Amino acid sequence: MQSANSFYLFNSRIATHSVFWVLYYLLFGLIWVGEEGYLASFYLEFVLLPIRILAVYITIYFLLPRFLLKRRFRSFFIGYGLTMLLGGILQRVFIHLFYEELLLNDSTTGLFNIMSLVRAIILINTTALLVLGIKLFQLWSLEHDKNKSLESEILEIRSNRRTHRVPVKNILFVEGLGNYVTYHLADKSKITSYGSIKGTLKELPDNFRRVHKSYIVNKAYIKSYDAMTIDIQDNAIPRGKSISDEVLLN
């Protein structure tokens, strides 16, 4: 199974991000060169780059995991819209103060010219969407690889002097009672085996979470949950008080 680092140059997130932003800076410095020349164009991109970086990282490291991946779409779009608006305002202020007035000695455009503000928001939005798309592709690829691995994984369970070969993906949850554990399967059948919850968890992949002293759940089958229970098909699984939402989702 591929790791997250396999998507990065030299297996380094810092190196990859550094290369990306350097290339981004050079590309847009060349694209937006005008009558003022290359020096003015690269100066402007240098002034605006921190704002775009900030907007991108707020999107992929705050809004994405906290809202979009948890299907809180309204909160995500509100947060994204505010981020783009704030970024556009900051970019317009920086252009006016550090480019139009300082470099060009031209203040006729006005600080908050509507069309200039809209262009600033569009530019930041384009950058944020590009990086967000790359990030979503990375997450999709990792999840796809994980699911593909789970589909081919078989767990051998000893029960009543027989060995049952069960695809891991078919296990809904595991229930512990004393020295025995019961595997509840997707076809509603059950297999009871001698063992402990702690030992069983070690045999299962990362897709399984211990949510109670007596229960392990396959998070792929979680339909809903609250502070007390977790619903998997027609079963209400008790949830331990110390189990956070991150344990269920990540």
Side-chain angles (χ1 to χ4, degrees):
M1 183 185 303
Q2 61 184 335
S3 64
N5 284 339
S6 64
F7 286 87
Y8 298 114
L9 295 174
F10 315 113
N11 291 324
S12 171
R13 178 182 299 182
I14 294 177
T16 303
H17 285 212
S18 299
V19 170
F20 173 83
W21 288 116
V22 168
L23 292 176
Y24 177 92
Y25 169 70
L26 294 174
L27 177 63
F28 277 84
L30 293 172
I31 287 177
W32 297 114
V33 65
E35 296 179 356
E36 295 79 15
Y38 288 98
L39 183 61
S41 179
F42 281 109
Y43 168 76
L44 178 60
E45 288 303 316
F46 179 77
V47 169
L48 300 180
L49 189 61
I51 300 173
R52 297 178 187 178
I53 292 175
L54 179 62
V56 164
Y57 286 158
I58 288 175
T59 300
I60 65 174
Y61 289 125
F62 179 76
L63 299 176
L64 174 63
R66 179 160 294 194
F67 301 122
L68 186 58
L69 295 183
K70 295 182 180 180
R71 298 179 181 273
R72 297 169 61 183
F73 300 118
R74 179 180 299 177
S75 297
F76 171 78
F77 285 116
I78 290 174
Y80 185 78
L82 290 175
T83 300
M84 294 302 105
L85 178 61
L86 179 59
I89 292 173
L90 287 175
Q91 181 164 293
R92 182 62 205 140
V93 169
F94 275 46
I95 291 175
H96 184 73
L97 296 180
F98 297 105
Y99 185 71
E100 293 173 347
E101 288 194 346
L102 184 62
L103 189 65
L104 304 182
N105 294 317
D106 178 14
S107 58
T108 58
T109 304
L111 179 58
F112 288 117
N113 177 275
I114 296 299
M115 291 307 300
S116 297
L117 180 60
V118 170
R119 282 196 296 268
I121 293 174
I122 290 175
L123 286 174
I124 295 177
N125 179 63
T126 302
T127 304
L129 287 179
L130 171 65
V131 179
L132 179 61
I134 295 172
K135 188 65 177 179
L136 287 173
F137 175 76
Q138 178 194 22
L139 295 175
W140 172 84
S141 183
L142 289 171
E143 191 67 23
H144 178 74
D145 188 59
K146 181 192 298 183
N147 292 337
K148 191 173 181 180
S149 176
L150 289 176
E151 288 176 2
S152 61
E153 191 166 350
I154 299 294
L155 183 67
E156 293 190 345
I157 305 172
R158 290 280 298 173
S159 177
N160 295 328
R161 299 181 181 180
R162 294 183 63 84
T163 299
H164 300 263
R165 290 174 50 81
V166 179
V168 171
K169 64 174 184 177
N170 291 346
I171 301 174
L172 300 178
F173 64 94
V174 183
E175 179 183 8
L177 182 60
N179 293 325
Y180 291 88
V181 291
T182 299
Y183 296 83
H184 295 256
L185 307 182
D187 62 1
K188 298 187 178 181
S189 63
K190 303 176 183 179
I191 301 175
T192 300
S193 176
Y194 183 82
S196 66
I197 281 288
K198 184 177 180 180
T200 300
L201 184 61
K202 293 180 180 179
E203 298 177 351
L204 295 170
D206 293 339
N207 203 47
F208 288 80
R209 298 287 189 268
R210 187 172 183 178
V211 298
H212 185 272
K213 65 180 181 179
S214 300
Y215 286 89
I216 299 170
V217 302
N218 184 344
K219 69 176 187 178
Y221 287 99
I222 295 176
K223 287 199 305 183
S224 63
Y225 59 89
D226 56 26
M228 301 294 293
T229 60
I230 300 168
D231 290 337
I232 295 181
Q233 284 194 357
D234 299 326
N235 305 280
I237 311 299
R239 175 179 175 179
K241 294 181 179 180
S242 62
I243 303 301
S244 65
D245 290 351
E246 283 71 22
V247 172
L248 302 178
L249 299 173
N250 299 327

PDB file of all heavy atoms in Angstrom, residues 152-183:
ATOM      1  N   SER A 152      -8.798  -7.607  -0.770  1.00  0.00           N
ATOM      2  CA  SER A 152      -8.061  -8.842  -1.007  1.00  0.00           C
ATOM      3  C   SER A 152      -7.563  -9.485   0.289  1.00  0.00           C
ATOM      4  O   SER A 152      -6.957 -10.551   0.254  1.00  0.00           O
ATOM      5  CB  SER A 152      -6.857  -8.550  -1.911  1.00  0.00           C
ATOM      6  OG  SER A 152      -5.989  -7.623  -1.292  1.00  0.00           O
ATOM      7  N   GLU A 153      -7.832  -8.843   1.429  1.00  0.00           N
ATOM      8  CA  GLU A 153      -7.322  -9.353   2.701  1.00  0.00           C
ATOM      9  C   GLU A 153      -8.303 -10.355   3.303  1.00  0.00           C
ATOM     10  O   GLU A 153      -9.506 -10.096   3.392  1.00  0.00           O
ATOM     11  CB  GLU A 153      -7.080  -8.188   3.662  1.00  0.00           C
ATOM     12  CG  GLU A 153      -6.303  -8.603   4.903  1.00  0.00           C
ATOM     13  CD  GLU A 153      -5.787  -7.405   5.668  1.00  0.00           C
ATOM     14  OE1 GLU A 153      -5.865  -6.283   5.137  1.00  0.00           O
ATOM     15  OE2 GLU A 153      -5.318  -7.602   6.800  1.00  0.00           O
ATOM     16  N   ILE A 154      -7.773 -11.492   3.712  1.00  0.00           N
ATOM     17  CA  ILE A 154      -8.580 -12.560   4.295  1.00  0.00           C
ATOM     18  C   ILE A 154      -8.144 -12.787   5.745  1.00  0.00           C
ATOM     19  O   ILE A 154      -6.951 -12.854   6.053  1.00  0.00           O
ATOM     20  CB  ILE A 154      -8.414 -13.881   3.511  1.00  0.00           C
ATOM     21  CG1 ILE A 154      -8.874 -13.701   2.054  1.00  0.00           C
ATOM     22  CG2 ILE A 154      -9.189 -15.012   4.185  1.00  0.00           C
ATOM     23  CD1 ILE A 154     -10.352 -13.438   1.901  1.00  0.00           C
ATOM     24  N   LEU A 155      -9.124 -12.884   6.633  1.00  0.00           N
ATOM     25  CA  LEU A 155      -8.850 -13.189   8.039  1.00  0.00           C
ATOM     26  C   LEU A 155      -9.307 -14.617   8.323  1.00  0.00           C
ATOM     27  O   LEU A 155     -10.439 -14.985   8.023  1.00  0.00           O
ATOM     28  CB  LEU A 155      -9.597 -12.208   8.945  1.00  0.00           C
ATOM     29  CG  LEU A 155      -9.343 -12.372  10.448  1.00  0.00           C
ATOM     30  CD1 LEU A 155      -7.892 -12.013  10.791  1.00  0.00           C
ATOM     31  CD2 LEU A 155     -10.299 -11.494  11.253  1.00  0.00           C
ATOM     32  N   GLU A 156      -8.420 -15.426   8.898  1.00  0.00           N
ATOM     33  CA  GLU A 156      -8.764 -16.805   9.260  1.00  0.00           C
ATOM     34  C   GLU A 156      -9.203 -16.841  10.720  1.00  0.00           C
ATOM     35  O   GLU A 156      -8.458 -16.452  11.621  1.00  0.00           O
ATOM     36  CB  GLU A 156      -7.568 -17.726   9.026  1.00  0.00           C
ATOM     37  CG  GLU A 156      -7.210 -17.867   7.553  1.00  0.00           C
ATOM     38  CD  GLU A 156      -6.171 -18.965   7.317  1.00  0.00           C
ATOM     39  OE1 GLU A 156      -5.528 -19.403   8.303  1.00  0.00           O
ATOM     40  OE2 GLU A 156      -6.002 -19.376   6.154  1.00  0.00           O
ATOM     41  N   ILE A 157     -10.427 -17.331  10.933  1.00  0.00           N
ATOM     42  CA  ILE A 157     -11.019 -17.359  12.271  1.00  0.00           C
ATOM     43  C   ILE A 157     -11.304 -18.808  12.668  1.00  0.00           C
ATOM     44  O   ILE A 157     -12.007 -19.526  11.955  1.00  0.00           O
ATOM     45  CB  ILE A 157     -12.336 -16.548  12.303  1.00  0.00           C
ATOM     46  CG1 ILE A 157     -12.083 -15.107  11.804  1.00  0.00           C
ATOM     47  CG2 ILE A 157     -12.916 -16.532  13.705  1.00  0.00           C
ATOM     48  CD1 ILE A 157     -13.365 -14.314  11.616  1.00  0.00           C
ATOM     49  N   ARG A 158     -10.768 -19.222  13.809  1.00  0.00           N
ATOM     50  CA  ARG A 158     -11.012 -20.578  14.317  1.00  0.00           C
ATOM     51  C   ARG A 158     -12.271 -20.585  15.168  1.00  0.00           C
ATOM     52  O   ARG A 158     -12.426 -19.808  16.109  1.00  0.00           O
ATOM     53  CB  ARG A 158      -9.828 -21.049  15.168  1.00  0.00           C
ATOM     54  CG  ARG A 158      -8.566 -21.331  14.384  1.00  0.00           C
ATOM     55  CD  ARG A 158      -8.602 -22.684  13.703  1.00  0.00           C
ATOM     56  NE  ARG A 158      -8.713 -23.770  14.651  1.00  0.00           N
ATOM     57  CZ  ARG A 158      -8.900 -25.038  14.303  1.00  0.00           C
ATOM     58  NH1 ARG A 158      -9.015 -25.358  13.017  1.00  0.00           N
ATOM     59  NH2 ARG A 158      -8.969 -25.972  15.216  1.00  0.00           N
ATOM     60  N   SER A 159     -13.222 -21.475  14.789  1.00  0.00           N
ATOM     61  CA  SER A 159     -14.462 -21.580  15.537  1.00  0.00           C
ATOM     62  C   SER A 159     -15.008 -23.003  15.413  1.00  0.00           C
ATOM     63  O   SER A 159     -15.140 -23.521  14.291  1.00  0.00           O
ATOM     64  CB  SER A 159     -15.482 -20.565  14.999  1.00  0.00           C
ATOM     65  OG  SER A 159     -16.725 -20.693  15.668  1.00  0.00           O
ATOM     66  N   ASN A 160     -15.311 -23.611  16.546  1.00  0.00           N
ATOM     67  CA  ASN A 160     -15.870 -24.976  16.567  1.00  0.00           C
ATOM     68  C   ASN A 160     -15.029 -25.942  15.735  1.00  0.00           C
ATOM     69  O   ASN A 160     -15.542 -26.690  14.895  1.00  0.00           O
ATOM     70  CB  ASN A 160     -17.322 -24.976  16.058  1.00  0.00           C
ATOM     71  CG  ASN A 160     -18.245 -24.199  16.978  1.00  0.00           C
ATOM     72  OD1 ASN A 160     -18.035 -24.168  18.201  1.00  0.00           O
ATOM     73  ND2 ASN A 160     -19.255 -23.562  16.411  1.00  0.00           N
ATOM     74  N   ARG A 161     -13.730 -25.915  15.946  1.00  0.00           N
ATOM     75  CA  ARG A 161     -12.773 -26.819  15.295  1.00  0.00           C
ATOM     76  C   ARG A 161     -12.677 -26.622  13.779  1.00  0.00           C
ATOM     77  O   ARG A 161     -12.162 -27.476  13.072  1.00  0.00           O
ATOM     78  CB  ARG A 161     -13.123 -28.281  15.618  1.00  0.00           C
ATOM     79  CG  ARG A 161     -13.072 -28.614  17.104  1.00  0.00           C
ATOM     80  CD  ARG A 161     -13.404 -30.064  17.341  1.00  0.00           C
ATOM     81  NE  ARG A 161     -13.387 -30.371  18.773  1.00  0.00           N
ATOM     82  CZ  ARG A 161     -13.639 -31.576  19.279  1.00  0.00           C
ATOM     83  NH1 ARG A 161     -13.941 -32.583  18.453  1.00  0.00           N
ATOM     84  NH2 ARG A 161     -13.600 -31.765  20.582  1.00  0.00           N
ATOM     85  N   ARG A 162     -13.220 -25.528  13.314  1.00  0.00           N
ATOM     86  CA  ARG A 162     -13.113 -25.220  11.897  1.00  0.00           C
ATOM     87  C   ARG A 162     -12.412 -23.876  11.733  1.00  0.00           C
ATOM     88  O   ARG A 162     -12.466 -23.025  12.612  1.00  0.00           O
ATOM     89  CB  ARG A 162     -14.484 -25.166  11.213  1.00  0.00           C
ATOM     90  CG  ARG A 162     -15.221 -26.500  11.169  1.00  0.00           C
ATOM     91  CD  ARG A 162     -16.533 -26.374  10.406  1.00  0.00           C
ATOM     92  NE  ARG A 162     -16.312 -26.024   9.005  1.00  0.00           N
ATOM     93  CZ  ARG A 162     -16.034 -26.912   8.052  1.00  0.00           C
ATOM     94  NH1 ARG A 162     -15.949 -28.220   8.355  1.00  0.00           N
ATOM     95  NH2 ARG A 162     -15.858 -26.535   6.809  1.00  0.00           N
ATOM     96  N   THR A 163     -11.800 -23.703  10.583  1.00  0.00           N
ATOM     97  CA  THR A 163     -11.165 -22.423  10.249  1.00  0.00           C
ATOM     98  C   THR A 163     -11.986 -21.746   9.160  1.00  0.00           C
ATOM     99  O   THR A 163     -12.146 -22.286   8.058  1.00  0.00           O
ATOM    100  CB  THR A 163      -9.722 -22.623   9.756  1.00  0.00           C
ATOM    101  OG1 THR A 163      -8.946 -23.234  10.790  1.00  0.00           O
ATOM    102  CG2 THR A 163      -9.094 -21.287   9.375  1.00  0.00           C
ATOM    103  N   HIS A 164     -12.501 -20.572   9.486  1.00  0.00           N
ATOM    104  CA  HIS A 164     -13.321 -19.811   8.547  1.00  0.00           C
ATOM    105  C   HIS A 164     -12.458 -18.730   7.904  1.00  0.00           C
ATOM    106  O   HIS A 164     -11.812 -17.948   8.594  1.00  0.00           O
ATOM    107  CB  HIS A 164     -14.506 -19.159   9.270  1.00  0.00           C
ATOM    108  CG  HIS A 164     -15.412 -20.130   9.943  1.00  0.00           C
ATOM    109  ND1 HIS A 164     -16.578 -20.584   9.362  1.00  0.00           N
ATOM    110  CD2 HIS A 164     -15.326 -20.758  11.159  1.00  0.00           C
ATOM    111  CE1 HIS A 164     -17.184 -21.430  10.188  1.00  0.00           C
ATOM    112  NE2 HIS A 164     -16.438 -21.551  11.289  1.00  0.00           N
ATOM    113  N   ARG A 165     -12.472 -18.698   6.579  1.00  0.00           N
ATOM    114  CA  ARG A 165     -11.727 -17.667   5.842  1.00  0.00           C
ATOM    115  C   ARG A 165     -12.708 -16.551   5.473  1.00  0.00           C
ATOM    116  O   ARG A 165     -13.573 -16.736   4.619  1.00  0.00           O
ATOM    117  CB  ARG A 165     -11.074 -18.271   4.600  1.00  0.00           C
ATOM    118  CG  ARG A 165      -9.920 -19.216   4.942  1.00  0.00           C
ATOM    119  CD  ARG A 165      -9.364 -19.925   3.710  1.00  0.00           C
ATOM    120  NE  ARG A 165      -9.073 -18.995   2.621  1.00  0.00           N
ATOM    121  CZ  ARG A 165      -7.957 -18.250   2.542  1.00  0.00           C
ATOM    122  NH1 ARG A 165      -7.040 -18.341   3.495  1.00  0.00           N
ATOM    123  NH2 ARG A 165      -7.759 -17.440   1.510  1.00  0.00           N
ATOM    124  N   VAL A 166     -12.538 -15.425   6.138  1.00  0.00           N
ATOM    125  CA  VAL A 166     -13.493 -14.319   6.015  1.00  0.00           C
ATOM    126  C   VAL A 166     -12.807 -13.091   5.412  1.00  0.00           C
ATOM    127  O   VAL A 166     -11.790 -12.629   5.951  1.00  0.00           O
ATOM    128  CB  VAL A 166     -14.079 -13.957   7.398  1.00  0.00           C
ATOM    129  CG1 VAL A 166     -15.050 -12.787   7.271  1.00  0.00           C
ATOM    130  CG2 VAL A 166     -14.769 -15.169   8.015  1.00  0.00           C
ATOM    131  N   PRO A 167     -13.334 -12.558   4.311  1.00  0.00           N
ATOM    132  CA  PRO A 167     -12.792 -11.285   3.805  1.00  0.00           C
ATOM    133  C   PRO A 167     -12.977 -10.190   4.853  1.00  0.00           C
ATOM    134  O   PRO A 167     -14.073 -10.024   5.396  1.00  0.00           O
ATOM    135  CB  PRO A 167     -13.639 -11.007   2.558  1.00  0.00           C
ATOM    136  CG  PRO A 167     -14.175 -12.350   2.158  1.00  0.00           C
ATOM    137  CD  PRO A 167     -14.403 -13.099   3.445  1.00  0.00           C
ATOM    138  N   VAL A 168     -11.915  -9.475   5.111  1.00  0.00           N
ATOM    139  CA  VAL A 168     -11.962  -8.437   6.139  1.00  0.00           C
ATOM    140  C   VAL A 168     -13.041  -7.407   5.847  1.00  0.00           C
ATOM    141  O   VAL A 168     -13.690  -6.888   6.761  1.00  0.00           O
ATOM    142  CB  VAL A 168     -10.581  -7.757   6.266  1.00  0.00           C
ATOM    143  CG1 VAL A 168     -10.649  -6.534   7.160  1.00  0.00           C
ATOM    144  CG2 VAL A 168      -9.555  -8.734   6.803  1.00  0.00           C
ATOM    145  N   LYS A 169     -13.271  -7.114   4.562  1.00  0.00           N
ATOM    146  CA  LYS A 169     -14.257  -6.097   4.191  1.00  0.00           C
ATOM    147  C   LYS A 169     -15.675  -6.493   4.592  1.00  0.00           C
ATOM    148  O   LYS A 169     -16.572  -5.643   4.644  1.00  0.00           O
ATOM    149  CB  LYS A 169     -14.211  -5.823   2.697  1.00  0.00           C
ATOM    150  CG  LYS A 169     -14.613  -7.029   1.857  1.00  0.00           C
ATOM    151  CD  LYS A 169     -14.706  -6.675   0.380  1.00  0.00           C
ATOM    152  CE  LYS A 169     -15.202  -7.862  -0.428  1.00  0.00           C
ATOM    153  NZ  LYS A 169     -15.381  -7.530  -1.851  1.00  0.00           N
ATOM    154  N   ASN A 170     -15.909  -7.802   4.869  1.00  0.00           N
ATOM    155  CA  ASN A 170     -17.241  -8.277   5.225  1.00  0.00           C
ATOM    156  C   ASN A 170     -17.524  -8.200   6.724  1.00  0.00           C
ATOM    157  O   ASN A 170     -18.623  -8.523   7.160  1.00  0.00           O
ATOM    158  CB  ASN A 170     -17.437  -9.722   4.757  1.00  0.00           C
ATOM    159  CG  ASN A 170     -17.517  -9.827   3.243  1.00  0.00           C
ATOM    160  OD1 ASN A 170     -17.683  -8.821   2.554  1.00  0.00           O
ATOM    161  ND2 ASN A 170     -17.391 -11.031   2.726  1.00  0.00           N
ATOM    162  N   ILE A 171     -16.550  -7.798   7.510  1.00  0.00           N
ATOM    163  CA  ILE A 171     -16.733  -7.723   8.959  1.00  0.00           C
ATOM    164  C   ILE A 171     -17.311  -6.358   9.322  1.00  0.00           C
ATOM    165  O   ILE A 171     -16.706  -5.324   9.061  1.00  0.00           O
ATOM    166  CB  ILE A 171     -15.404  -7.944   9.707  1.00  0.00           C
ATOM    167  CG1 ILE A 171     -14.823  -9.321   9.362  1.00  0.00           C
ATOM    168  CG2 ILE A 171     -15.606  -7.819  11.214  1.00  0.00           C
ATOM    169  CD1 ILE A 171     -13.435  -9.566   9.939  1.00  0.00           C
ATOM    170  N   LEU A 172     -18.507  -6.364   9.926  1.00  0.00           N
ATOM    171  CA  LEU A 172     -19.149  -5.115  10.352  1.00  0.00           C
ATOM    172  C   LEU A 172     -18.555  -4.620  11.660  1.00  0.00           C
ATOM    173  O   LEU A 172     -18.126  -3.475  11.779  1.00  0.00           O
ATOM    174  CB  LEU A 172     -20.648  -5.317  10.533  1.00  0.00           C
ATOM    175  CG  LEU A 172     -21.460  -5.764   9.323  1.00  0.00           C
ATOM    176  CD1 LEU A 172     -22.920  -5.954   9.721  1.00  0.00           C
ATOM    177  CD2 LEU A 172     -21.340  -4.740   8.207  1.00  0.00           C
ATOM    178  N   PHE A 173     -18.555  -5.510  12.653  1.00  0.00           N
ATOM    179  CA  PHE A 173     -17.989  -5.164  13.950  1.00  0.00           C
ATOM    180  C   PHE A 173     -17.684  -6.449  14.726  1.00  0.00           C
ATOM    181  O   PHE A 173     -18.129  -7.550  14.345  1.00  0.00           O
ATOM    182  CB  PHE A 173     -18.927  -4.255  14.758  1.00  0.00           C
ATOM    183  CG  PHE A 173     -20.248  -4.869  15.146  1.00  0.00           C
ATOM    184  CD1 PHE A 173     -20.432  -5.495  16.370  1.00  0.00           C
ATOM    185  CD2 PHE A 173     -21.327  -4.806  14.276  1.00  0.00           C
ATOM    186  CE1 PHE A 173     -21.650  -6.049  16.730  1.00  0.00           C
ATOM    187  CE2 PHE A 173     -22.560  -5.362  14.616  1.00  0.00           C
ATOM    188  CZ  PHE A 173     -22.715  -5.990  15.853  1.00  0.00           C
ATOM    189  N   VAL A 174     -16.907  -6.300  15.774  1.00  0.00           N
ATOM    190  CA  VAL A 174     -16.531  -7.439  16.610  1.00  0.00           C
ATOM    191  C   VAL A 174     -16.972  -7.142  18.034  1.00  0.00           C
ATOM    192  O   VAL A 174     -16.720  -6.054  18.566  1.00  0.00           O
ATOM    193  CB  VAL A 174     -15.007  -7.676  16.580  1.00  0.00           C
ATOM    194  CG1 VAL A 174     -14.651  -8.918  17.403  1.00  0.00           C
ATOM    195  CG2 VAL A 174     -14.509  -7.824  15.142  1.00  0.00           C
ATOM    196  N   GLU A 175     -17.629  -8.140  18.648  1.00  0.00           N
ATOM    197  CA  GLU A 175     -18.147  -7.996  20.001  1.00  0.00           C
ATOM    198  C   GLU A 175     -17.415  -8.950  20.943  1.00  0.00           C
ATOM    199  O   GLU A 175     -17.263 -10.130  20.646  1.00  0.00           O
ATOM    200  CB  GLU A 175     -19.651  -8.298  20.013  1.00  0.00           C
ATOM    201  CG  GLU A 175     -20.307  -8.216  21.360  1.00  0.00           C
ATOM    202  CD  GLU A 175     -21.778  -8.600  21.314  1.00  0.00           C
ATOM    203  OE1 GLU A 175     -22.226  -9.067  20.236  1.00  0.00           O
ATOM    204  OE2 GLU A 175     -22.471  -8.431  22.336  1.00  0.00           O
ATOM    205  N   GLY A 176     -16.923  -8.438  22.054  1.00  0.00           N
ATOM    206  CA  GLY A 176     -16.211  -9.266  23.011  1.00  0.00           C
ATOM    207  C   GLY A 176     -17.060  -9.593  24.228  1.00  0.00           C
ATOM    208  O   GLY A 176     -17.804  -8.743  24.725  1.00  0.00           O
ATOM    209  N   LEU A 177     -16.945 -10.835  24.698  1.00  0.00           N
ATOM    210  CA  LEU A 177     -17.658 -11.252  25.892  1.00  0.00           C
ATOM    211  C   LEU A 177     -16.802 -12.282  26.618  1.00  0.00           C
ATOM    212  O   LEU A 177     -16.667 -13.424  26.166  1.00  0.00           O
ATOM    213  CB  LEU A 177     -19.026 -11.841  25.540  1.00  0.00           C
ATOM    214  CG  LEU A 177     -19.905 -12.267  26.739  1.00  0.00           C
ATOM    215  CD1 LEU A 177     -20.197 -11.071  27.636  1.00  0.00           C
ATOM    216  CD2 LEU A 177     -21.208 -12.919  26.262  1.00  0.00           C
ATOM    217  N   GLY A 178     -16.184 -11.870  27.718  1.00  0.00           N
ATOM    218  CA  GLY A 178     -15.314 -12.768  28.458  1.00  0.00           C
ATOM    219  C   GLY A 178     -14.106 -13.167  27.625  1.00  0.00           C
ATOM    220  O   GLY A 178     -13.383 -12.327  27.117  1.00  0.00           O
ATOM    221  N   ASN A 179     -13.911 -14.469  27.465  1.00  0.00           N
ATOM    222  CA  ASN A 179     -12.785 -14.991  26.690  1.00  0.00           C
ATOM    223  C   ASN A 179     -13.155 -15.302  25.235  1.00  0.00           C
ATOM    224  O   ASN A 179     -12.424 -16.026  24.559  1.00  0.00           O
ATOM    225  CB  ASN A 179     -12.239 -16.256  27.351  1.00  0.00           C
ATOM    226  CG  ASN A 179     -11.608 -15.951  28.703  1.00  0.00           C
ATOM    227  OD1 ASN A 179     -10.998 -14.895  28.882  1.00  0.00           O
ATOM    228  ND2 ASN A 179     -11.779 -16.854  29.661  1.00  0.00           N
ATOM    229  N   TYR A 180     -14.265 -14.761  24.782  1.00  0.00           N
ATOM    230  CA  TYR A 180     -14.716 -15.027  23.418  1.00  0.00           C
ATOM    231  C   TYR A 180     -15.019 -13.724  22.679  1.00  0.00           C
ATOM    232  O   TYR A 180     -15.377 -12.705  23.293  1.00  0.00           O
ATOM    233  CB  TYR A 180     -15.972 -15.914  23.424  1.00  0.00           C
ATOM    234  CG  TYR A 180     -15.696 -17.326  23.887  1.00  0.00           C
ATOM    235  CD1 TYR A 180     -15.759 -17.653  25.241  1.00  0.00           C
ATOM    236  CD2 TYR A 180     -15.361 -18.319  22.977  1.00  0.00           C
ATOM    237  CE1 TYR A 180     -15.491 -18.946  25.680  1.00  0.00           C
ATOM    238  CE2 TYR A 180     -15.087 -19.613  23.402  1.00  0.00           C
ATOM    239  CZ  TYR A 180     -15.146 -19.918  24.744  1.00  0.00           C
ATOM    240  OH  TYR A 180     -14.871 -21.203  25.174  1.00  0.00           O
ATOM    241  N   VAL A 181     -14.862 -13.771  21.377  1.00  0.00           N
ATOM    242  CA  VAL A 181     -15.228 -12.635  20.521  1.00  0.00           C
ATOM    243  C   VAL A 181     -16.157 -13.143  19.425  1.00  0.00           C
ATOM    244  O   VAL A 181     -16.001 -14.264  18.939  1.00  0.00           O
ATOM    245  CB  VAL A 181     -13.993 -11.962  19.892  1.00  0.00           C
ATOM    246  CG1 VAL A 181     -13.161 -11.252  20.944  1.00  0.00           C
ATOM    247  CG2 VAL A 181     -13.141 -12.955  19.116  1.00  0.00           C
ATOM    248  N   THR A 182     -17.114 -12.318  19.048  1.00  0.00           N
ATOM    249  CA  THR A 182     -18.058 -12.662  17.988  1.00  0.00           C
ATOM    250  C   THR A 182     -17.905 -11.677  16.840  1.00  0.00           C
ATOM    251  O   THR A 182     -17.994 -10.465  17.032  1.00  0.00           O
ATOM    252  CB  THR A 182     -19.505 -12.626  18.494  1.00  0.00           C
ATOM    253  OG1 THR A 182     -19.665 -13.586  19.547  1.00  0.00           O
ATOM    254  CG2 THR A 182     -20.482 -12.955  17.369  1.00  0.00           C
ATOM    255  N   TYR A 183     -17.664 -12.229  15.648  1.00  0.00           N
ATOM    256  CA  TYR A 183     -17.533 -11.419  14.436  1.00  0.00           C
ATOM    257  C   TYR A 183     -18.907 -11.299  13.788  1.00  0.00           C
ATOM    258  O   TYR A 183     -19.524 -12.315  13.431  1.00  0.00           O
ATOM    259  CB  TYR A 183     -16.559 -12.067  13.457  1.00  0.00           C
ATOM    260  CG  TYR A 183     -15.137 -12.154  13.973  1.00  0.00           C
ATOM    261  CD1 TYR A 183     -14.749 -13.197  14.820  1.00  0.00           C
ATOM    262  CD2 TYR A 183     -14.180 -11.211  13.617  1.00  0.00           C
ATOM    263  CE1 TYR A 183     -13.447 -13.294  15.293  1.00  0.00           C
ATOM    264  CE2 TYR A 183     -12.873 -11.299  14.083  1.00  0.00           C
ATOM    265  CZ  TYR A 183     -12.513 -12.340  14.922  1.00  0.00           C
ATOM    266  OH  TYR A 183     -11.227 -12.426  15.385  1.00  0.00           O
TER     267      TYR A 183
END
